Amino acid sequence: MKEQLIELKSRALAAIEAAQDVKSLEDVKVVYLGKKGELTSVLKQMGKLTAEERPVMGALANEVRERFESEYNTKVSALKNAEILTRMANEKIDITLPGKRRRMGSRHPLNIVLDELKEIFTSMGYTMVYGPEVEKTRYVFDMLETHEGHPARDEQDTFYIDDETILRTQTSSVQIRTMLDAVKNNALPLAIISPGRVYRCDEVDATHSPIFHQCEGLVINKNITFADLKGTLEVFFKRLYGDSIQLRFRPHHFPYTEPSAEVDLSCFKCGGGGCPFCKGEGWIEMLGCGMVHPQVLRNCGIDPDEYTGFAFGMGIERITLMRYEIDDMRLLYENDMRFLKQF
């Protein structure tokens, strides 16, 4: 057995020396020290030895194992270092090549316009107020004098959660909630804007979407007149689009304002001369407005003989289209980087 161990040691060390990579070196270890390896096979013969021979052969077998493991670990370290040096030589980084630029995000055009709108109105003394998007029909329709069966509800048909709960069609519900709170807390007069998402069953086209954004304004105070409304909107639009913009007020009907008006702006494409975008009219409809109806004030507990007010509502998408001369609303929602990176 002694000769076997010495011969096995010699062959094992030679095999370690001949290994060219870590994989072949691991194969050598399996051949000599594995569960079915040559050293294990030799040690199985220990039972045939005398009591005097066993300690001697055991010590020799341990010496062979220790020497093998020592040489193996040294060789593994050398081979791994050689692999690292080879990779470093073959995988050099050319620092003269241009790096990959990290794309920086930017604000969405809707948010840019909304922030500018907020800045203009807050500088005029308005306060921003928000409300729930899932709303009661009482606040969206009934208290705004648009009772069940009113034809205006057909134009604003929306998504119903149940018979009394809907996705709001306008942020006017925030105005109702604000007036009720103001009366309860004795907080009149007030001047607010209420931006947020609204929902209607509209077809998707260049100017309509079932989900869009609105910003409505409300002022309640003593001796408020239509002249205050007109002056407010003129200041707002001229600050937003420049002094050259023209406004046109047309009589209209809204259940919750009296008198009411539609406001048009001169077309940004043709300057009012007429083009396909404004359908040859030279004007683009922008928003609805009017004096708060006395009955709406009464519904909220406000005396219309003491207080008057005006309200207006505009679509943020439409404001954005004019602000950046965009002719299709769908571009705002398609998340096309070729479009969005312009902002």
Side-chain angles (χ1 to χ4, degrees), residues 109-110 112-114 116-117 120-121 213-215 233 236-237 240-241 263 265 268 284-287 313-326 329 332:
L110 285 174
I112 295 174
V113 170
L114 181 57
E116 190 169 353
L117 183 150
I120 293 173
F121 278 111
H213 298 76
Q214 262 192 349
C215 182
L233 294 179
F236 167 71
F237 281 117
L240 190 66
Y241 295 123
V263 179
L265 296 188
F268 65 86
I284 299 176
E285 179 185 322
M286 292 303 296
L287 59 85
M314 64 189 79
I316 305 302
E317 281 81 358
R318 185 163 296 187
I319 298 291
T320 304
L321 295 184
M322 281 200 64
R323 185 72 170 80
Y324 293 109
E325 299 188 8
I326 303 169
M329 183 190 296
L332 299 173

Side-chain angles (χ1 to χ4, degrees), residues 30 34 37 49 55 82 111-112 128 141 166-167 181 191 250 268 290 293 312 334 340 343:
V30 171
L49 301 177
N111 288 331
I112 295 174
M128 285 183 292
F141 294 129
I166 62 172
L167 298 181
D181 289 342
R250 291 181 289 105
F268 65 86
H293 197 291
F312 56 85
E334 292 175 347
L340 294 176
F343 304 93

Side-chain angles (χ1 to χ4, degrees), residues 185-199:
N185 299 313
N186 195 25
L188 291 174
L190 59 84
I192 66 162
I193 57 171
S194 53
R197 274 185 303 222
V198 296
Y199 306 83

Side-chain angles (χ1 to χ4, degrees), residues 153-256:
R153 287 205 184 191
D154 292 337
E155 297 177 2
Q156 297 187 4
D157 192 18
T158 186
F159 305 93
Y160 281 77
I161 309 301
D162 56 43
D163 290 342
E164 296 182 354
T165 309
I166 62 172
L167 298 181
R168 66 183 181 186
T169 63
Q170 54 194 1
T171 55
S172 302
S173 56
V174 181
Q175 298 181 12
I176 295 296
R177 289 178 175 272
T178 302
M179 286 190 282
L180 291 171
D181 289 342
V183 171
K184 179 179 179 181
N185 299 313
N186 195 25
L188 291 174
L190 59 84
I192 66 162
I193 57 171
S194 53
R197 274 185 303 222
V198 296
Y199 306 83
R200 297 183 187 178
C201 293
D202 286 337
E203 296 290 337
V204 178
D205 58 29
T207 58
H208 295 86
S209 171
I211 303 176
F212 59 100
H213 298 76
Q214 262 192 349
C215 182
E216 299 199 10
L218 173 69
V219 173
I220 302 293
N221 205 338
K222 296 179 179 179
N223 302 316
I224 294 294
T225 68
F226 199 93
D228 298 311
L229 169 60
K230 183 177 180 182
T232 298
L233 294 179
E234 284 185 345
V235 169
F236 167 71
F237 281 117
K238 288 185 182 296
R239 286 185 61 180
L240 190 66
Y241 295 123
D243 292 336
S244 62
I245 201 74
Q246 298 294 315
L247 280 73
R248 182 177 71 176
F249 288 76
R250 291 181 289 105
H252 196 72
H253 169 73
F254 297 110
Y256 33 84

